[in-house]
Amino acid sequence: MNKNTIILSLVIASRFFGLFIVLPVISLYSSSLKGASEFSTGLIVGIYAIFQMIFSLPFGTLSDKIGRKKTMLLGLIIFIIGSFICSYADDIYTMLLGRMIQGIGAIGGVATAMIADLTSEKDRAKAMAIMGGAIGMSFAAAMVVGPLMAKFFGLKSLFDLSAILSILCILALFILPKEKQIIIAEKIPFKLAFTSKNLNKLYLTCYLQKMLSSSTFFYIPLAFVNTYSQDKNNLWMLYVLAIFFGFLAMGVGGVVGESKGKSKTILLSGIALFILSLALFLLNNFIFYLLAVVVYFCAFCIHEPIMQSSISKICKARQKGLCLGFANSCGYFGSFSGALFAGIFTHFDFLGFKLFLILEIIFCIVWFYLLSSMDNPNDFKNLKIDKINDKIKNNEFVIDVNFKNDYYLVKYNSKKISSEELLRLVK
């Protein structure tokens, strides 16, 4: 695999490790700060996701204009400032300010766009799978390291470590190659990133996948302890088992699915697995519950690399950061709303979480129907040609035209028009 993908995946994994490491303990330790209340302690956790949702789109757009490296550098610097503010906070309001500034450095979509820039389309899902695996391992490590460091060195040490890791990420950025300049053959309207039916279906996919994720993570530990009377100290074993099968599924989705040109099939299969997982949760049986958790992780991990890769294939070259940034915003909004809806349905006994599971199954069926009408991202191909004309630029099946080095790169839907037909249009 391309060494640039490995380096960038390590950068992203280090960045996410710095984020994940505070999650297991931040609500517990923040409650001891001056002025803390149950509401403000909960806001400490949620305010980061809210600001990530708001700023992912601007950062993605900025990366299309000034370059990925410069934008990632800016985001990392902002995150470092926020981390040090959190580290030295002795009251809840300073901690909230620090978490807010951390969230402003929303470079997740920029990093994904950078991986897309540094890999060919046929290797892109593999690269996304490597990135997803690196993030998954950083999550597992953070869940162990975070509570131990907080116990012996306090919450401050976690934010200090997050800042140090982000500084190392900045140094690693200089190892990556210089970005190639792409010259646009024509001005690209901003609105095209939001009027494409294919892209909108993928934005919906990002939202629903993360919505299902946060609501399911809300349900899994509660059911493990309250419904099935299991020891909460054994919950980690269930996650280890589920993550193992999830990584295997990610390999299938990112490597096998991409090499056979079945991105759309993989996405639809993931939705089908989500439906199966939700149905198994409804059966009120511990064995089916365990199976449901494993199936859910497989569904999530199958989707994760393919979604990002699919968006990068369908969008225009100089809107890659914009589209992936907006997709990240949709995902963060999904995480926020999924947890909110799950909490509401759990709080009100007359609604109940089972009703919410049934509603999620209905959402998934509608989602499956909508996504089934999307074009397969693998059908979008690139053609190098020496010259273009209005017949090429105005063709409804031509997605993008860029001048790169000494040739034009034409992106087109190969199921709707062949390369031979395009070449005839040039002549």
Side-chain angles (χ1 to χ4, degrees):
M1 178 53 66
N2 190 312
K3 71 173 184 178
N4 296 326
T5 299
I6 302 296
I7 294 171
L8 196 52
S9 294
L10 291 175
V11 168
I12 296 169
S14 298
R15 162 99 157 99
F16 274 95
F17 180 81
L19 296 175
F20 292 146
I21 198 171
V22 302
L23 291 181
V25 295
I26 189 170
S27 59
L28 178 64
Y29 283 80
S30 294
S31 61
S32 62
L33 294 171
K34 296 176 186 176
S37 64
E38 290 184 357
F39 173 77
S40 60
T41 303
L43 194 58
I44 285 289
V45 179
I47 198 169
Y48 174 83
I50 293 171
F51 275 81
Q52 283 277 305
M53 179 186 73
I54 294 171
F55 283 91
S56 286
L57 179 59
F59 267 85
T61 306
L62 184 65
S63 75
D64 289 329
K65 297 183 180 298
I66 69 171
R68 316 289 185 217
K69 274 190 178 183
K70 292 178 181 177
T71 308
M72 286 190 68
L73 178 62
L74 175 62
L76 286 168
I77 290 172
I78 292 173
F79 180 80
I80 290 168
I81 293 171
S83 296
F84 282 129
I85 290 175
C86 290
S87 174
Y88 290 96
D90 59 0
D91 63 82
I92 197 70
Y93 302 106
T94 306
M95 179 66 78
L96 280 169
L97 174 64
R99 289 289 286 169
M100 179 186 72
I101 294 175
Q102 279 188 317
I104 291 174
I107 57 171
V110 180
T112 307
M114 196 170 184
I115 281 188
D117 291 339
L118 294 174
T119 55
S120 63
E121 293 201 356
K122 65 184 181 68
D123 291 328
R124 191 161 298 157
K126 299 177 187 178
M128 299 295 178
I130 289 175
M131 181 184 73
I135 292 173
M137 286 186 284
S138 73
F139 176 80
M143 293 301 104
V144 176
V145 174
L148 290 175
M149 283 190 64
K151 179 180 178 180
F152 291 106
F153 306 107
L155 185 63
K156 169 184 166 60
S157 66
L158 303 186
F159 291 110
D160 288 338
L161 180 58
S162 297
I164 292 169
L165 289 173
S166 295
I167 293 171
L168 294 177
C169 288
I170 290 175
L171 297 176
L173 284 179
F174 292 100
I175 302 175
L176 297 171
K178 185 178 180 180
E179 295 172 88
K180 295 179 180 178
Q181 184 179 11
I182 297 176
I183 302 173
I184 306 301
E186 59 180 359
K187 187 177 179 180
I188 302 174
F190 182 82
K191 67 179 183 180
L192 290 183
F194 309 102
T195 56
S196 164
K197 292 181 180 179
N198 288 317
L199 284 176
N200 285 335
K201 289 167 186 174
L202 287 170
Y203 297 150
L204 176 66
T205 294
C206 290
Y207 169 79
L208 288 174
Q209 188 232 35
K210 294 300 189 295
M211 188 271 284
L212 288 170
S213 173
S214 60
S215 62
T216 304
F217 269 114
F218 181 94
Y219 174 73
I220 288 174
L222 291 178
F224 188 81
V225 175
N226 298 334
T227 305
Y228 299 108
S229 303
Q230 301 296 310
D231 185 349
K232 64 180 180 180
N233 294 320
N234 294 330
L235 186 60
W236 68 271
M237 292 188 286
L238 174 59
Y239 284 138
V240 168
L241 176 67
I243 288 171
F244 172 76
F245 284 100
F247 280 172
L248 293 180
M250 184 177 287
V252 173
V255 180
V256 177
E258 187 70 13
S259 64
K260 295 183 179 298
K262 301 291 185 181
S263 292
K264 179 180 175 180
T265 302
I266 292 295
L267 288 172
L268 292 173
S269 300
I271 300 174
L273 288 175
F274 276 127
I275 295 173
L276 175 60
S277 173
L278 295 169
L280 289 170
F281 279 129
L282 286 170
L283 296 179
N284 267 347
N285 178 282
F286 186 60
I287 299 300
F288 286 133
Y289 164 83
L290 296 177
L291 183 59
V293 175
V294 171
V295 172
Y296 160 76
F297 269 79
C298 290
F300 180 85
C301 291
I302 278 178
H303 263 210
E304 196 60 26
I306 293 295
M307 283 192 311
Q308 310 292 334
S309 174
S310 297
I311 291 171
S312 68
K313 287 179 178 179
I314 291 176
C315 71
K316 293 181 179 293
R318 284 300 298 271
Q319 288 189 326
K320 201 178 292 178
L322 166 62
C323 294
L324 287 167
F326 184 69
N328 263 26
S329 293
C330 292
Y332 278 110
F333 182 57
S335 296
F336 173 77
S337 57
L340 176 65
F341 295 149
I344 290 173
F345 274 81
T346 303
H347 178 73
F348 294 102
D349 293 335
F350 66 92
L351 292 175
F353 200 83
K354 281 192 174 182
L355 175 59
F356 184 54
L357 290 173
I358 293 171
L359 290 175
E360 284 188 317
I361 291 174
I362 295 172
F363 291 153
C364 286
I365 292 171
V366 175
W367 177 20
F368 187 96
Y369 171 76
L370 292 173
L371 202 65
S372 63
S373 63
M374 182 186 76
D375 292 320
N376 184 3
N378 296 103
D379 293 337
F380 290 77
K381 307 293 184 182
N382 288 311
L383 176 67
K384 295 179 182 179
I385 55 178
D386 296 327
K387 60 181 180 179
I388 60 169
N389 55 28
D390 289 340
K391 290 182 179 179
I392 292 285
K393 291 191 291 184
N394 298 328
N395 190 283
E396 62 178 316
F397 305 127
V398 171
I399 311 303
D400 199 12
V401 177
N402 294 300
F403 186 74
K404 192 174 183 180
N405 299 327
D406 58 347
Y407 58 85
Y408 287 94
L409 195 63
V410 178
K411 181 183 287 188
Y412 66 100
N413 190 331
S414 62
K415 287 294 183 182
K416 305 292 177 64
I417 188 169
S418 66
S419 58
E420 290 79 11
E421 290 176 292
L422 285 173
L423 291 173
R424 283 199 293 271
L425 289 176
V426 175
K427 296 179 181 179

